């Protein structure tokens, strides 16, 4: 069987997420931060690639302190592999390998002194069970705290990720389903944060990654035709989502529609403007005021409820 293309894309996304998070985390007032990577064990390529982020320009500087906790259910020779590469890492960085599953996460974070400082938790449930509520809640000891989760088939069945993240205190959630070849199970990538800026950075990273042509994105909320990985995704599916949204709320500001786009679709907030311009051009919606820049305070409403012809496809996005 060919290598799993979804794994390669996810690795790029997770590593770029760590690289984007690190500078802001390390420059926080306390000048310390914690990165935790919890996964079933086995393939260590992702965690090794993430650590290489800190061996170049992204390395902690004097006075900063980064603690990395690798929690592996089946660590194998992981400790030796990471130990061999630790000589290349800066002295301001400590890496600890902890054997165990997601249930060990609260204890591991407490031992690492993660409370009260920036924390990014990468929880990889591509195989096996999902992290439980206690594990997810433990991440919120960080200030601020963020979580990236990868959920495979069993984990997705067990976990309502939006409910669990919301209950834990993550007010903003982004998610996207990665679809590969027919013989490869799809996976769900989820990001939880309380910062609109960080959610938008996550969305920017999704569409900036250099993707495998065999991997596409799909909205997990309104499954439809998958979208290719491209810096400028097709705005038409988003336009249909926005029409459906306006059909529910009646009228909405551009700012509100941008927030809906960022939090409830696979698109970026900025993509909402492209979709709205298309809808305005087609005459399906109108704006108030009718002239000027399409700013956040412009109100959008349906010209008339869109009619779905019998037998047509359901809304996708």
């Amino acid at each position: 069987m060919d290598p799993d293309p979804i794994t390669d894309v996810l690795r790029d996304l997770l590593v770029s997420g760590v690289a984007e998070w690190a500078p802001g985390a390390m420059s926080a007032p306390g000048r310390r931060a914690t990165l935790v990577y919890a996964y079933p064990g086995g393939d260590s390529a992702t965690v090794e690639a993430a650590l290489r982020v800190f061996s170049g320009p992204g390395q902690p500087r004097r006075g900063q302190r980064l603690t990395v906790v690798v929690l592996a259910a089946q660590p194998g020779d992981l400790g030796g592999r990471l130990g061999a590469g630790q000589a290349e890492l800066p002295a301001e960085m400590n890496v600890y390998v902890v054997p165990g599953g997601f249930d060990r996460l609260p204890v591991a974070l407490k031992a690492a002194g993660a409370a009260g400082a920036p924390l990014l938790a990468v929880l990889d449930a591509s195989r096996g069970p999902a992290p439980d509520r206690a594990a997810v809640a433990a991440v919120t000891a960080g200030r601020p705290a963020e979580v990236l989760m990868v959920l495979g088939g069993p984990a997705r069945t067990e976990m309502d990720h939006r409910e669990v993240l919301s209950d834990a205190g993550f007010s903003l959630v982004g998610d996207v389903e990665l679809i590969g070849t027919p013989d490869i199970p799809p996976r769900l990538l989820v990001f939880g944060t309380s910062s609109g800026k960080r959610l938008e950075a996550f969305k920017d990273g999704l569409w900036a990654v250099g993707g495998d042509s065999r991997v596409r994105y799909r909205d997990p909320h309104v499954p439809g035709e998958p979208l290719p990985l491209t810096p400028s995704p097709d705005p038409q599916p988003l336009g249909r989502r926005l029409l459906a949204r306006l059909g529910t709320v009646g009228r909405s500001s551009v700012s509100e529609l941008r927030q809906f786009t960022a939090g409830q679709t696979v698109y970026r907030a900025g993509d909402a403007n492209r979709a709205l311009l298309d809808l305005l051009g087609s005459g399906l919606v109108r704006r108030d005021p009718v002239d000027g820049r399409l700013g956040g305070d412009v109100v959008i409403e349906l010209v008339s409820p869109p009619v779905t012809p019998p037998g047509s496809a359901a809304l996708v996005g």
Side-chain angles (χ1 to χ4, degrees):
M1 180 182 295
D2 291 337
D4 180 354
I6 294 180
T7 296
D8 293 339
V9 172
L10 280 171
R11 181 177 300 128
D12 289 345
L13 286 169
L14 295 176
V15 171
S16 66
V18 170
E20 200 281 331
W21 165 82
M26 297 306 303
S27 62
R31 298 176 67 81
R32 65 184 179 91
T34 303
L35 168 67
V36 58
Y37 184 82
Y39 79 122
D43 182 13
S44 62
T46 298
V47 64
E48 291 179 87
L51 292 182
R52 284 195 291 272
V53 168
F54 304 105
S55 62
Q59 64 181 300
R61 299 178 181 177
R62 179 172 299 184
Q64 298 177 336
R65 175 64 57 184
L66 175 65
T67 301
V68 179
V69 178
V70 182
L71 185 63
Q74 298 178 345
D77 65 347
L78 180 62
R81 291 174 63 88
L82 297 184
Q86 188 140 5
E88 302 176 6
L89 299 175
E92 293 82 4
M93 180 175 172
N94 293 319
V95 181
Y96 302 98
V97 177
V98 179
F102 294 124
D103 59 314
R104 294 287 309 276
L105 190 58
V107 172
L109 290 176
K110 184 175 182 180
L119 167 63
L120 173 62
V122 181
L123 310 182
D124 187 348
S126 296
R127 298 181 283 115
D132 61 17
R133 289 177 179 269
V136 175
V139 177
T140 60
R143 293 290 184 274
E146 295 179 354
V147 59
L148 268 169
M149 292 194 298
V150 181
L151 303 179
R156 292 182 66 176
T157 301
E158 297 170 4
M159 184 185 203
D160 182 338
H161 61 277
R162 283 188 171 258
E163 178 187 348
V164 170
L165 288 173
S166 177
D167 288 349
F170 296 100
S171 58
L172 298 172
V173 177
D175 48 14
V176 60
E177 187 176 30
L178 280 76
I179 307 294
T181 54
D183 58 325
I184 300 296
R187 262 145 288 174
L188 189 70
L189 178 64
V190 181
F191 179 60
T193 183
S194 294
S195 165
K197 182 179 179 181
R198 293 287 297 136
L199 177 60
E200 192 66 7
F202 167 73
K203 290 296 187 68
D204 285 340
L206 285 182
W207 296 106
V209 67
D212 188 306
S213 61
R214 296 171 294 172
V215 178
R216 292 172 294 169
Y217 289 153
R218 187 164 65 187
D219 191 326
H221 308 289
V222 188
E225 187 66 25
L227 298 166
L229 278 63
T230 171
S232 299
D234 180 6
Q236 290 190 14
L238 175 57
R240 293 192 285 272
R241 289 293 306 275
L242 295 179
L243 283 177
R245 176 67 175 173
L246 290 169
T248 299
V249 301
R251 62 202 313 263
S252 186
S253 70
V254 170
S255 179
E256 291 167 340
L257 292 173
R258 285 170 58 91
Q259 292 173 7
F260 169 81
T261 298
Q264 299 297 326
T265 81
V266 300
Y267 289 85
R268 300 157 294 194
D271 294 322
N273 284 62
R274 292 196 298 133
L276 288 172
L277 288 173
D278 285 351
L279 293 176
L280 287 164
S282 68
L284 291 172
V285 301
R286 56 175 166 251
R287 51 170 287 175
D288 181 20
V290 296
D291 297 315
R293 186 176 65 89
L294 193 63
D297 57 346
V298 173
V299 174
I300 304 293
E301 62 180 348
L302 293 174
V303 171
S304 60
V307 177
T308 302
S312 64
L315 291 174
V316 296

